[in-house]
Amino acid sequence: QVQLAESGGDSVQAGGSLTLSCAASRYSDETNCMGWFRQSPGKERERVAIFFTGGTTQTWLTHSVRDRFTISKDTFNNTLYLQMNSLQPEDTAMYICAAGPNCAALTFWGQGTQVTVSS
């Protein structure tokens, strides 16, 4: 069992920046794929960014954040980060970390950290 603990959410004004962290309780092949999702009230959960380290390192960001957000991972500490710049009100959501042995099987989910962006 892998536990995920997110942190870093806050309330900021439009144009501001935040860095979210997701610490996994242990390193294993079950965290080869880690990612960030977000969900707002009344909306479906949206995949935001993925970091895959099974063999080769691959990253992916959804189009709407591609030029503003950066995903990275401290492999030694098994911590995933999401650097968010130029935040906009539409980025307001609960940001949730997920992990799994591969990106089609994200088995473990965190509780989320709230990001609120005001105009």
Side-chain angles (χ1 to χ4, degrees), residues 24-105:
S25 58
R26 63 185 181 91
Y27 172 80
S28 74
D29 288 346
E30 293 175 294
T31 58
N32 281 346
C33 185
M34 296 183 73
W36 290 99
F37 292 72
R38 64 186 180 186
Q39 188 160 23
S40 303
K43 294 185 178 181
E44 291 188 0
R45 181 177 290 178
E46 177 188 16
R47 183 175 58 179
V48 177
I50 293 290
F51 197 102
F52 178 69
T53 54
T56 61
T57 297
Q58 298 177 46
T59 61
W60 174 90
L61 293 103
T62 193
H63 180 75
S64 63
V65 308
R66 199 161 291 168
D67 58 347
R68 301 183 294 122
F69 293 7
T70 303
I71 188 169
S72 61
K73 184 176 180 181
D74 180 339
T75 304
F76 182 79
N77 292 308
N78 215 27
T79 300
L80 185 72
Y81 299 97
L82 186 67
Q83 173 68 44
M84 305 187 294
N85 298 324
S86 301
L87 283 161
Q88 300 301 315
E90 53 265 34
D91 295 317
T92 295
M94 179 70 75
Y95 283 72
I96 306 161
C97 179
N102 60 72
C103 297

Side-chain angles (χ1 to χ4, degrees), residues 2-8 20-25 34 36 78-80 95-98 109-113:
V2 176
Q3 295 180 329
L4 304 174
E6 302 101 328
S7 61
L20 306 183
S21 300
C22 171
S25 58
M34 296 183 73
W36 290 99
N78 215 27
T79 300
L80 185 72
Y95 283 72
I96 306 161
C97 179
W109 293 81
Q111 295 297 309
T113 185

